[in-house]
Amino acid sequence: MKKFTLLGASGYIAPRHMKAIKDTNNNLVASLDKCDSVGIIDSFFPEASFFTEFERFDRHIDKLRRDKQTHIDYVSITTPNYLHDSHIRWALRSGCDAICEKPLVLNPHNIDQLKIIEQETGKNVYNILQLRLHESIIKLKQRVENELKADPTRVYDIDLTYLTSRGKWYFISWKGDESKSGGIATNIGVHFFDMLTYIFGEVEENVVHIKTPYANAGYLKLKNARVRWFLSLKYDYIPDEIKAQGQRTYRSITVDGEEIEFSGGFTELHTRSYEEILKGNGFGLDEAYGSIKTVSTIRNLNPIGLSGEYHPFCRKVIDV
């Protein structure tokens, strides 16, 4: 049984990590969050120590580190995006492997530095790239690989659309601060960009058409695909037929006009991710690099407006 600690216990995604630790028959020894609304821990590890101050938490983990019987094996990180880099560094220097939510870091140069610390400590960093483990995505990758064997020059046309409505709270929280979240493309899009480059190859061209507080949209030329993408937090942009169903989220990926169905199958992907990490098959720094470079570039590009290969949903945005 491996021993885990969790940074960011009150966050939205934290329960999925708690469940993954429990499902893989391991133990959460301690957790940290400055917010103490963490009653969810009782559903998984009621005996886990809990801290709201990093200094006391650090002292506790350091004590455990000095005893082979209590040494922590993994640090799971579900803190705000801008803290991931520091918390990964702390985990490695505390003698633990790190498992971090997306986005791993905000900029590719952070990954370069983490590689150095991995070498110094002999410990590893793993990123949760759960879409790579989704059954529909696995099938799509296999299909594309087979088709590209027959025609290596083939280029697919892809539309990525992800609308996830968020209330006013979002922009008051750290998620609404680009310096902390990385912005819309980073916070809600990074795992989609990772999935697309995982299947269709590296980015060759990156264009941004729209960049507002509520929406980002652009175009990516990949080795084997042309991708028009649209990401939004605004309920108004959701198609009327989806609203009529009482839904506040819309997710769609079409490949050459064919819809790729992956609306379900997400509930166990964190557990799958942990299973692979524990078997030594997790996604490390090199796997995370491409998507982090993509979203970092998007963050620093100026939008060009409705010109070129833009996503049809761009016309929904009146404040371009």
Side-chain angles (χ1 to χ4, degrees):
M1 178 182 289
K2 299 296 184 180
K3 292 177 284 296
F4 284 75
T5 188
L6 173 66
L7 304 183
S10 73
Y12 165 77
I13 208 68
R16 297 190 193 180
H17 287 258
M18 296 179 199
K19 183 177 185 299
I21 294 168
K22 190 174 184 67
D23 287 348
T24 52
N25 298 313
N26 293 296
N27 188 32
L28 181 66
V29 174
S31 62
L32 167 74
D33 203 298
K34 66 179 184 179
C35 174
D36 59 10
S37 296
V38 290
I40 188 66
I41 294 175
D42 286 346
S43 299
F44 299 100
F45 299 100
E47 298 305 314
S49 299
F50 175 69
F51 299 84
T52 59
E53 296 176 352
F54 182 82
E55 293 78 8
R56 291 183 175 182
F57 173 77
D58 177 49
R59 180 179 63 186
H60 179 72
I61 299 303
D62 190 56
K63 289 179 180 178
L64 298 180
R65 180 176 66 85
R66 298 176 185 282
D67 187 333
K68 291 184 179 180
Q69 299 300 315
T70 59
H71 185 278
I72 301 295
D73 300 293
Y74 291 91
V75 175
S76 297
I77 299 167
T78 60
T79 49
N81 301 348
Y82 71 105
L83 298 176
H84 289 177
D85 184 35
S86 294
H87 288 160
I88 292 170
R89 291 165 180 257
W90 174 85
L92 299 179
R93 288 170 175 156
S94 296
C96 309
D97 291 328
I99 300 174
C100 188
E101 259 301 334
K102 60 82 184 171
L104 185 73
V105 290
L106 295 182
N107 298 291
H109 66 259
N110 299 134
I111 293 179
D112 296 332
Q113 294 299 310
L114 290 176
K115 284 186 176 182
I116 295 173
I117 302 174
E118 272 192 332
Q119 295 171 356
E120 291 174 347
T121 61
K123 296 299 177 180
N124 298 306
V125 181
Y126 299 104
N127 197 194
I128 298 293
L129 301 174
Q130 71 267 36
L131 281 186
R132 295 192 183 197
L133 302 176
H134 193 288
E135 184 176 347
S136 296
I137 302 306
I138 292 172
K139 289 180 179 178
L140 176 61
K141 182 173 175 60
Q142 292 171 342
R143 179 189 122 191
V144 170
E145 286 177 347
N146 289 332
E147 291 172 348
L148 288 177
K149 286 179 182 177
D151 180 7
T153 64
R154 180 170 178 174
V155 178
Y156 297 80
D157 287 306
I158 298 171
D159 278 358
L160 163 65
T161 314
Y162 182 46
L163 316 178
T164 177
S165 306
R166 292 292 185 266
K168 294 180 180 179
W169 68 269
Y170 185 96
F171 300 96
I172 301 301
S173 76
W174 62 268
K175 295 183 179 184
D177 183 341
E178 186 177 277
S179 68
K180 293 182 177 181
S181 70
I184 293 175
T186 301
N187 199 46
I188 71 169
V190 66
H191 53 307
F192 291 111
F193 295 130
D194 170 75
M195 178 268 289
L196 290 172
T197 54
Y198 177 58
I199 297 174
F200 297 99
E202 296 181 358
V203 175
E204 297 178 352
E205 183 182 359
N206 193 338
V207 177
V208 174
H209 294 113
I210 290 174
K211 192 182 292 183
T212 76
Y214 293 95
N216 282 185
Y219 169 81
L220 293 173
K221 173 64 175 70
L222 308 182
K223 180 181 179 182
N224 293 107
R226 293 179 288 260
V227 182
R228 301 186 300 182
W229 59 271
F230 185 91
L231 306 170
S232 174
L233 307 172
K234 198 175 184 67
Y235 177 73
D236 293 350
Y237 301 155
I238 291 179
D240 291 339
E241 62 271 22
I242 303 300
K243 292 179 182 177
Q245 299 171 21
Q247 298 182 23
R248 294 178 58 83
T249 297
Y250 175 70
R251 180 192 296 115
S252 171
I253 294 180
T254 62
V255 178
D256 288 343
E258 176 188 347
E259 186 75 32
I260 304 301
E261 174 54 46
F262 69 116
S263 56
F266 284 88
T267 55
E268 300 301 321
L269 291 183
H270 277 75
T271 294
R272 286 281 317 281
S273 298
Y274 271 65
E275 289 171 347
E276 293 302 315
I277 290 169
L278 290 163
K279 289 190 293 187
N281 300 327
F283 301 117
L285 295 176
D286 287 336
E287 285 85 355
Y289 193 91
S291 60
I292 297 302
K293 181 180 179 181
T294 298
V295 295
S296 177
T297 300
I298 290 170
R299 192 182 313 128
N300 290 290
L301 285 174
N302 292 320
I304 65 171
L306 302 190
S307 175
E309 292 289 330
Y310 62 86
H311 193 288
F313 275 45
C314 288
R315 294 199 173 274
K316 292 175 175 283
V317 184
I318 60 174
D319 53 342
V320 184

